[in-house]
Structure formats: C-alpha cells, structure tokens
Amino acid sequence: MTSGSHFVLGLPDPLMTLVDDAPSSRQVEDLLQPHRRLIARLRRSEALSTGDVEAALRQMTELASTVLRVERVSVWRLCEGGGRIECLDLYSRRTGSHEKGMSLGIRQGPTYFAALDTERCIAAHDARTDPRTTELFQTYLEPLGIGAMLDAPVFLHGQMVGVVCHEHVGAPRYWRLWEELLAGTLSDFVAHVMEAEERAVAQAEVARYRAHLEALVEARTKELRASEQSFRDLFEASPTALVLSRVPDGRLVLINSRARQMMQLPSSVGNGEIDTARFYESLEDRDRILEDVRCQGFVDGRETRMRTFDGQPRWCQISARVITYDGEMHIAAGLNDVSGLKDIEQRLREAAMKDPLTGAFNRRHLFDVGAGELERARRYDRSLAVAIFDADHFKQKNDRHGHAVGDEILVLLSKIARSQLRQSDVLARFGGEEFVVLFPETSLDDAFSVTERLRERVAAAPVETAAGPVAQTISAGVVAWDRSESLAQMIERADRALYRAKESGRNRTERG
C-alpha cells in the first residue's frame, strides 16, 4: 500500500477507482443491482417460505460476509425490556462457522444503544475511536481484534428490535456509501424475517388451537349428540370467534361472544335472524368459500375482506368445516381478525416505496417504475421525458435556519410538485434536495412547460417555515428519451442540464 492511500476493504475490483471520488448515482445503482437481486433471492428462499428463521439468517449472514468482505457478520435481537441484545446468528468467514447465544448489555455501551435507536446506519470507520462504539473497546472490540463496524438497526412496527453487525477485523476501514446502503437493505431483510417469524408463531397458535378443538370435538361427538347444550357451552367458551350457519340458506344459527364482539353484532339481534352474507364485503368471496367448503369439506386460513354489522371493514382469516348439528348439515367457521397485520403490510409496502420525509417516491421505486415505462415506450413507440430539479442555495438555508427549516422546504417542494403533476407522472426524491420527475407519454416541450410552471410556482411566494418566510427557487433540467438510453443515462443528461441552469444564474430550466 502506497503512502497516503486509503485503507479500503470490501469494494469489488471495478469500483476500486471510486475510493477517492464519491460514486455517481448511476455507479451506485449499477453496484447495488446485483446485491438487490441476491436480497430478492433471499426473500424467495425456501428457508424463509417454510418459516425456518435460523436457516434464513444463516443465509443472510453468509451473503453479507461475502459481499462486504468482512470477517464477522451477526444478527442480534433486542431483549424484552430493552436492556440487552442477544445474538441470533454470528457467522465467521475465516472458519465458516455459525454460533449464537451471546449477549451484550446496555451498560457495556449506552452510547451505542442510543445510536441504534436514532440512526439508520452506524458506520464506525475506526470503531476504537468512534464515540458511538468506543465504549465497547475493552469488552468487545479489543479481544476480537475488531477495527471497524458497520451496524444497521432493524426496525419492526416502528420500533428498533435488533441490529445487523458487520465487523471488520484488523485496522480501521473506510465504509463507502454503497456499503451503508447494502447494510440497510440487509437489515430490512432481517425485519422481514422477524415479521415472518411473528406471523408463523401466530398461525401455529391458531393451528394448535384448531387441532385441539377438532380433536376435542371428535372425541366427544357422541356426547354432544346427546346434549345440544354441551355443544352450545363449548361453542360459547371458545377463545376463538366462532359462528355456525345453515348450509342451505346461510342463516346464522349460533354466534359466540367473541364473534359477536368482533362483528359488532348487537345483543338484540338473535340467532337465526340474519344471513351471514351481510358480513362479507363481496358476495363472490362468500360464494367461493361456501363452494370450497361444500367440495372439500373445509377451508383453512382463507384471508377475506369482511365487514361488521354496522359496515366497518375487517380483514379476517377464516377456517371452516362442515359439521352435523341438530341432525342437519351446518358450516362451523372460526374467524381471526388480521386487520392489524394487513395495516402493517400496507405500511411496509409504502415504506419500501416512499421517502418518509417528503412523501415522494424513493429512488428504488423510481427505477422500478422507470424500467416498465421504458419498456412500454419502446414497445409502443411512445415518448418519455425526465426532469430533475433541486432547491437553490439549499445548503446556505440549512446552515442559516437549521435542518428543521430545510426539511420544511423539501416537504413544501414535494407538495407543490405533486400539485402540478398528473397522476401518471412519478415524483421521486433522488437524494438530498434533488427530485426527479418521470413523465410517461410526454414530449420534451410538454415536460419543459410543466417543469417551468413548477419553477414559477415555487418562486412566486416565500416558503412559510417555523423560522418565518424563506424565499426559495429551484433550478431544473429536462430531457426526452433518445430511444436507446437507460433511465440512469436520461437522469445523467438531465443532471447536466440542471448544472447548466445553475451556471446560468439559477431559478431557470434548461433542456438537455
């Protein structure tokens, strides 16, 4: 190693030249694309689909060690009470071995624990001197020879629940932007694994109870035939929401207290007075369930959109069986309210697509949508345009008024931009104060006109912030697709046009 060079470990050979220069957006995207494919493969892995959490974590730690070229990769879970983290899997690249069970207490590193709660990624280039990790020097870093750490907290349901640790053994190491992005992606995968584990535990509990109930019903069938009241008592005592309806007409025969509460059925409405069809958002869903029960004799874990007696929506997981009651064929159904899980899934989908500050789409979603729009434009010979704009003198405003005011400016720019765009246009926060707009089926002139309206709208009035009115303008570059380039190349051309707008005095739009 020559004098004055950086100590860099973990960069693929084609990117060694990027050590002294910050990588461009295109280079970062080109680098992360194969890693994203690996993460996607992990998400589709058999270990995850079968609920084998331990195997899924092993696959992830081995992948992370190989891609980032670090000696040790580990996954830790925050223990109940938040005072300790426990190791779920630690992979050592040198020995190719896995271990688990170790723990680390908050007293050993209170600053480190605080950073896990507030930072998206802890890139400790020199772990021994970094204020976030130096407390771990004597008890953890020095005995293991760790010189640098890249730790990404794991968030689930809005709470920090663990951390993925990438530990470089030896001298300090400079972590690059793409490595931090990949660490964050891997922590998102671990959150996905933990969520899958939660769901598997909940489903196993439901399955255990269902199996127990079926065994109990089978064992006592003769007794229940002799005592209808015993069956009613068992039905009512069940901790699961249960309903019993007649096969021919779907009329409700029995509903226990838990089901009555879940579906908000008034006590004044008696059994036999209502059709179960009232509780389905779609009669087609109800008909499919009834048909499957009639043909197969059962339905297990069918997620269906339902509604309460007063019309409130509910997502329910339905398991149903055909039974004989009072000498007639009936359908006994157990209901599990999974509306909360569905809300979490929706929030996770939005979080994967949107920038949390501005509400605009994020860079990843822009490129996902852009790939489809490019293919559509190519196939059907349609036009396509891209604009990139950023806030003029944004750094000076941040320095003068503080980051909170800077955030207010970005939020307002995003709001104004959305008000000027069509529903089919895609607005994404590209990084910092930069935004990109994808204009499907739009010519250069039309995209330029829309961008100019946006620029004029921003410049027309000061931004109202907590620090008072702040004058703000934007500069922009607009390009049309040349029918051969990629989306990244289009954005690069638009960025050059933006640079010309800056050089020409700002608060202007340039064609590329």
Side-chain angles (χ1 to χ4, degrees):
M1 182 179 297
T2 60
S3 175
S5 65
H6 294 286
F7 181 86
V8 178
L9 179 64
L11 290 178
D13 292 339
L15 291 176
M16 291 300 291
T17 57
L18 300 180
V19 171
D20 293 317
D21 300 306
S24 69
S25 58
R26 177 187 175 187
Q27 289 168 326
V28 171
E29 287 299 324
D30 289 344
L31 178 63
L32 291 184
Q33 196 59 37
H35 301 160
R36 287 173 175 159
R37 287 196 292 267
L38 289 174
I39 294 299
R41 192 169 66 194
L42 277 179
R43 287 179 179 270
R44 296 191 298 269
S45 70
E46 182 179 353
L48 186 58
S49 63
T50 58
D52 191 344
V53 173
E54 184 173 339
L57 293 181
R58 283 171 174 257
Q59 291 174 1
M60 190 282 294
T61 53
E62 292 176 10
L63 169 68
S65 175
T66 299
V67 174
L68 292 174
R69 299 185 191 176
V70 291
E71 171 59 27
R72 294 158 54 90
V73 179
S74 54
V75 179
W76 302 70
R77 187 199 297 273
L78 185 67
C79 299
E80 187 174 355
R84 302 186 68 80
I85 53 175
E86 181 181 18
C87 183
L88 302 181
D89 183 70
L90 166 64
Y91 174 68
S92 174
R93 188 181 181 195
R94 181 177 60 83
T95 62
S97 61
H98 292 263
E99 55 183 306
K100 61 180 180 179
M102 304 78 74
S103 67
L104 184 70
I106 191 171
R107 292 184 180 179
Q108 294 170 264
T111 305
Y112 175 74
F113 272 73
L116 290 179
D117 248 334
T118 58
E119 298 190 26
R120 186 63 183 93
C121 191
I122 301 174
H125 311 297
D126 188 342
R128 299 163 191 176
T129 61
D130 191 293
R132 299 166 295 184
T133 58
T134 188
E135 295 166 332
L136 305 175
F137 178 74
Q138 291 185 345
T139 59
Y140 190 79
L141 303 179
E142 185 178 42
L144 297 172
I146 297 170
M149 297 174 69
L150 181 61
D151 292 5
V154 178
F155 287 87
L156 187 61
H157 312 324
Q159 300 292 322
M160 193 278 288
V161 296
V163 60
V164 181
C165 302
H166 309 87
E167 298 164 348
H168 167 66
V169 174
R173 163 178 173 172
Y174 185 81
W175 300 107
R176 306 306 297 168
L177 171 62
W178 72 267
E179 293 173 314
E180 295 184 32
L181 293 174
L182 181 58
T185 301
L186 291 171
S187 75
D188 290 343
F189 170 75
V190 171
H192 183 70
V193 171
M194 290 183 174
E195 183 186 24
E197 182 183 27
E198 283 186 0
R199 181 182 282 253
V201 169
Q203 290 176 341
E205 180 63 19
V206 171
R208 184 198 65 77
Y209 179 77
R210 186 167 59 242
H212 171 72
L213 181 61
E214 289 174 354
L216 187 61
V217 170
E218 182 177 356
R220 298 187 178 180
T221 298
K222 293 181 181 179
E223 297 175 50
L224 293 175
R225 286 175 180 168
S227 176
E228 181 178 317
Q229 186 59 46
S230 295
F231 177 77
R232 289 176 178 270
D233 291 343
L234 176 63
F235 201 83
E236 178 60 30
S238 171
T240 298
L242 296 176
V243 296
L244 186 71
S245 60
R246 287 196 294 260
V247 170
D249 57 10
R251 302 296 291 182
L252 194 63
V253 175
L254 289 176
I255 178 169
N256 69 358
S257 298
R258 288 184 179 273
R260 187 178 287 271
Q261 181 180 12
M262 178 189 297
M263 305 312 291
Q264 298 180 359
L265 186 65
S267 57
S268 58
V269 179
N271 296 331
E273 297 179 12
I274 192 169
D275 190 334
T276 54
R278 181 188 180 115
F279 298 109
Y280 287 85
E281 281 281 308
S282 166
L283 290 180
E284 291 180 358
D285 289 343
R286 179 225 187 201
D287 292 343
R288 277 194 293 267
I289 290 175
L290 290 178
E291 181 64 22
D292 289 344
V293 170
R294 291 188 185 105
C295 294
Q296 302 171 185
F298 66 93
V299 164
D300 273 338
R302 180 76 59 83
E303 290 187 354
T304 305
R305 223 175 139 69
M306 304 190 75
R307 60 187 176 190
T308 62
F309 183 79
D310 58 0
Q312 297 299 313
R314 286 277 190 282
W315 270 103
C316 290
Q317 194 176 65
I318 299 178
S319 296
R321 294 287 187 279
V322 174
I323 67 170
T324 300
Y325 175 76
D326 197 22
E328 295 182 359
M329 299 299 290
H330 289 72
I331 295 177
L335 309 177
N336 181 26
D337 188 346
V338 294
S339 303
L341 287 175
K342 286 294 184 180
D343 289 342
I344 291 171
E345 289 176 1
Q346 179 61 28
R347 289 198 296 271
L348 287 173
R349 279 193 292 268
E350 291 182 357
M353 295 189 303
K354 291 192 174 181
D355 171 53
L357 173 65
T358 65
F361 290 114
N362 58 27
R363 180 195 296 253
R364 182 185 351 180
H365 185 70
L366 171 69
F367 279 91
D368 288 345
V369 173
E373 290 296 340
L374 276 174
E375 178 59 29
R376 195 160 65 92
R378 183 179 294 110
R379 178 176 299 178
Y380 299 109
D381 194 26
R382 303 289 173 80
S383 55
L384 186 69
V386 162
I388 183 169
F389 67 89
D390 74 359
D392 293 332
H393 303 296
F394 185 74
K395 183 178 184 304
Q396 292 91 321
K397 291 182 174 63
N398 253 346
D399 294 341
R400 184 182 309 123
H401 303 291
H403 290 286
V405 169
D407 287 349
E408 288 185 74
I409 291 173
L410 294 178
V411 170
L412 186 61
L413 287 181
S414 175
K415 182 178 179 180
I416 294 174
R418 286 196 296 268
S419 72
Q420 302 297 313
L421 300 176
R422 304 169 301 178
Q423 188 173 2
S424 59
D425 299 330
V426 180
L427 172 69
R429 186 180 178 191
F430 202 64
E433 69 272 26
E434 283 190 330
F435 293 84
V436 170
V437 182
L438 180 66
F439 295 100
E441 300 189 27
T442 306
S443 67
L444 177 60
D445 288 342
D446 289 342
F448 182 86
S449 297
V450 173
T451 307
E452 266 292 276
R453 285 201 305 272
L454 168 59
R455 183 192 63 77
E456 292 170 355
R457 174 69 177 80
V458 172
V463 177
E464 294 296 331
T465 71
V470 176
Q472 183 63 58
T473 60
I474 63 171
S475 299
V478 185
V479 298
W481 183 45
D482 70 0
R483 318 211 68 76
S484 64
E485 61 191 344
S486 67
L487 179 59
Q489 290 168 331
M490 287 183 70
I491 293 174
E492 282 187 7
R493 283 203 297 123
D495 194 50
R496 290 196 292 271
L498 167 62
Y499 181 77
R500 291 197 301 274
K502 296 283 190 183
E503 289 291 297
S504 301
R506 293 183 170 84
N507 190 23
R508 58 185 295 119
T509 305
E510 289 285 341
R511 288 180 171 87

